[in-house]
Amino acid sequence: MATKISKRDWEALSAYTDGQLSTRERVHLESRIKTEANLQSGLEDLRRTRAMLRSLPKLRAPRNYTLAPEMVPARKAHPRSYPVLSLASALATFLLVLVLVGDFFAPRQLAMAPAMETQVAEVAAEPQIQREVPPGAGGGVPPDAVTGKTLEAAPTPTQDLQATPGFASDTQEVAPAEEPAAELMEELPPTASPSGARIEAYPAPDETAERELLPAPEGEIVPDATLGRNLIFRILEIGLGIIAVVTGVAAFLIRRGTGG
Amino acid sequence: MKKSSILDEVALIRAARDGDLNSFNRLVLEYQDLVYNQAFRILGDPHSADDATQEAFVSAYTNIRSYRGGSFRAWLLRIVTNACYDELRRRKRRPTTPLEPLDDAGEEIESPGWMVDPGESPEEASQRAELAGAIQDCISALPAEFRAVVALVDVQGLDYAEASEAIGSPLGTVKSRLARARARLRECLQGFWELLPGAFRLESEA
């Protein structure tokens, strides 16, 4: 052979002689074989080699290789428990997958529900706040004040919910210059928490407003339900996991023990 | 394989799985030539091939429950190929096995008697034996994994897919190993081209 053939071309030629190329590859290779002498020569060599290999006689086995019972280890039959354990393992695994899928989707829905309800409540509450907070009752913002200020001063449900020590500065922003509030705050004992101060100092809007500002009652119950569900999911997952593993291992050991 | 014989084979395999040794032995009789050929082409000597074939059938019967359908022939060839790899590893550790078969008197013989076609003239038989010996020597000079693929595709006539099943490697591996093996064999066999019988020469030129 005059020119060296690349490994890739040789592989293509080899597959070509066995008819293992796709139509596209075959057409491409055939067009190259027509123009490239080294591929022609390679193909000829390959065909010759293949023919030599195929000229090898098919040998007959020199004897029979049939097995006598003493040549093979006695095979024990699987005990009756084997199919039961196998089935139990498969079933537990299947249920575990179902529970995991349920677990994956269920908490998201539950977590999303209160958040959505809060948002709806915020949107619904804001105009009511402007309407229902009595002028000068707590916010002290005069009705003719700039609308922006009114909105700033109005307690949103979120602010109400966030009335924790960490939000003390917000509290001050919300009711900044109210003298009665300031006085009350001064009167408070030093141990009183800022949030407590805010709650005391902030004149409560009437109860209807308060109720409307709070998220839907379901929102308060949902965390408990989520916890309950999560607990059930964990128990199921762990239980099914243990059953699947234990029965699976037992079935495997039985199968191994019986040589199957 | 005919449909009825495939059905027979399935029934025999099922019975063998249930421990029926007679059914398994019918499968042995069906496949022993094929399994022996594979062992002989990989190992290069009849004694080792004989041992590997027997070992393969014992192993096949013991592990028949691990057969999960597909080509039974490929499954058997995989077992015997692995048995041959084990034998080659043993040889590497203790290289004492003779490469040529021995006759009853313990003398080396050039080629086993069953390789000779009784209808041939002595000269033809001698040439054929020489060619077969040369090809086998060239195959034996290949790395073991190349030998297995050449034996499966070029000697046993399996297609790439079945060969891939038999060696437990992807189709691409079969394709690549076969091409590399043939490249080496081409160089090794160049001097023996004239010994190739006319019928095969015509086939190669087709």
Side-chain angles (χ1 to χ4, degrees):
Chain A
M1 204 168 60
T3 327
K4 209 176 174 185
I5 300 173
S6 71
K7 273 183 186 175
R8 203 173 166 179
D9 283 343
W10 186 260
E11 208 171 285
L13 284 173
S14 170
Y16 175 70
T17 58
D18 293 322
Q20 297 282 336
L21 289 183
S22 67
T23 315
R24 195 178 157 190
E25 289 169 326
R26 185 172 51 79
V27 169
H28 179 67
L29 186 67
E30 280 173 350
S31 68
R32 284 186 62 203
I33 290 169
K34 279 177 194 164
T35 54
E36 295 175 39
N38 63 332
L39 289 183
Q40 278 172 23
S41 149
L43 182 63
E44 199 181 313
D45 281 354
L46 196 55
R47 280 183 169 155
R48 196 177 293 174
T49 307
R50 191 166 166 270
M52 284 181 105
L53 290 166
R54 287 177 182 225
S55 78
L56 279 172
K58 290 277 185 295
L59 307 180
R60 286 185 58 201
R63 65 183 176 90
N64 282 340
Y65 291 95
T66 48
L67 306 181
E70 61 272 14
M71 291 167 75
V72 287
R75 221 163 41 192
K76 292 173 228 161
H78 289 326
R80 277 173 169 266
S81 57
Y82 175 74
V84 176
L85 287 170
S86 306
L87 186 69
S89 178
L91 202 65
T93 309
F94 177 70
L95 290 174
L96 179 63
V97 171
L98 281 184
V99 170
L100 284 171
V101 170
D103 190 12
F104 182 75
F105 288 110
R108 286 187 175 189
Q109 286 171 350
L110 289 170
M112 280 166 70
M116 283 171 69
E117 281 168 14
T118 312
Q119 271 186 334
V120 172
E122 274 179 33
V123 172
E126 277 182 17
Q128 289 173 359
I129 293 158
Q130 287 178 35
R131 251 195 342 268
E132 291 176 17
V133 172
V141 182
D144 55 310
V146 184
T147 323
K149 273 193 175 179
T150 313
L151 282 172
E152 206 179 313
T156 65
T158 327
Q159 282 168 334
D160 265 351
L161 287 169
Q162 288 172 349
T164 57
F167 291 89
S169 56
D170 289 351
T171 312
Q172 283 164 357
E173 273 177 33
V174 172
E178 292 312 304
E179 282 177 15
E183 282 168 17
L184 278 167
M185 282 180 81
E186 279 167 17
E187 284 170 15
L188 280 167
T191 49
S193 71
S195 61
R198 181 188 179 278
I199 291 162
E200 290 293 322
Y202 202 90
D206 70 33
E207 281 194 16
T208 12
E210 187 92 36
R211 246 181 271 123
E212 279 170 12
L213 292 176
L214 287 169
E218 289 83 3
E220 289 171 6
I221 300 162
V222 163
D224 288 342
T226 312
L227 275 175
R229 280 185 189 215
N230 281 345
L231 191 65
I232 291 168
F233 274 126
R234 288 298 94 74
I235 291 168
L236 277 174
E237 283 162 8
I238 293 168
L240 287 171
I242 290 171
I243 292 170
V245 170
V246 168
T247 51
V249 167
F252 173 75
L253 290 175
I254 287 171
R255 188 187 163 127
R256 211 173 143 188
T258 53
Chain B
M1 198 180 270
K2 286 178 188 173
K3 199 179 174 184
S4 61
S5 61
I6 291 171
L7 289 174
D8 282 353
E9 186 178 284
V10 171
L12 289 173
I13 294 167
R14 197 174 296 142
R17 282 168 72 102
D18 292 339
D20 182 357
L21 193 57
N22 288 335
S23 297
F24 183 78
N25 280 336
R26 284 177 65 190
L27 292 165
V28 171
L29 293 173
E30 176 74 26
Y31 287 108
Q32 61 185 9
D33 288 347
L34 177 97
V35 171
Y36 178 78
N37 265 271
Q38 181 70 5
F40 182 83
R41 295 302 166 204
I42 296 177
L43 297 172
D45 83 279
H47 292 294
S48 304
D50 179 49
D51 288 346
T53 305
Q54 187 68 79
E55 196 184 312
F57 281 122
V58 171
S59 173
Y61 179 72
T62 313
N63 298 295
I64 197 157
R65 282 178 180 154
S66 69
Y67 169 68
R68 299 265 179 262
S71 165
F72 187 67
R73 176 168 80 150
W75 184 73
L76 279 178
L77 286 168
R78 187 173 187 170
I79 292 175
V80 73
T81 303
N82 287 334
C84 291
Y85 288 162
D86 290 345
E87 171 58 23
L88 290 171
R89 275 192 287 271
R90 275 195 292 270
R91 266 190 209 176
K92 224 173 185 178
R93 286 196 297 269
R94 287 179 297 174
T96 52
T97 317
L99 290 172
E100 291 296 329
L102 304 177
D103 61 16
D104 293 339
E107 297 289 321
E108 279 190 1
I109 48 173
E110 283 196 1
S111 63
W114 60 86
M115 289 171 84
V116 181
D117 182 347
E120 284 177 324
S121 69
E123 197 185 334
E124 283 170 341
S126 160
Q127 278 189 355
R128 180 177 274 274
E130 193 184 340
L131 179 64
I135 296 170
Q136 185 55 51
D137 285 349
C138 289
I139 292 175
S140 297
L142 294 171
E145 61 273 22
F146 287 13
R147 265 184 251 177
V149 178
V150 165
L152 289 168
V153 177
D154 280 334
V155 182
Q156 310 269 30
L158 269 68
D159 61 22
Y160 285 18
E162 212 175 356
S164 146
E165 208 178 320
I167 62 165
S169 299
L171 210 80
T173 308
V174 171
K175 200 171 161 183
S176 145
R177 281 185 189 170
L178 187 63
R180 288 160 72 190
R182 283 171 172 172
R184 291 193 192 195
L185 287 169
R186 176 199 59 177
E187 286 167 20
C188 181
L189 291 169
Q190 263 171 357
F192 299 94
W193 169 235
E194 293 307 320
L195 294 173
L196 189 65
F200 287 104
R201 255 182 269 176
L202 287 172
E203 188 194 298
S204 76
E205 282 156 12

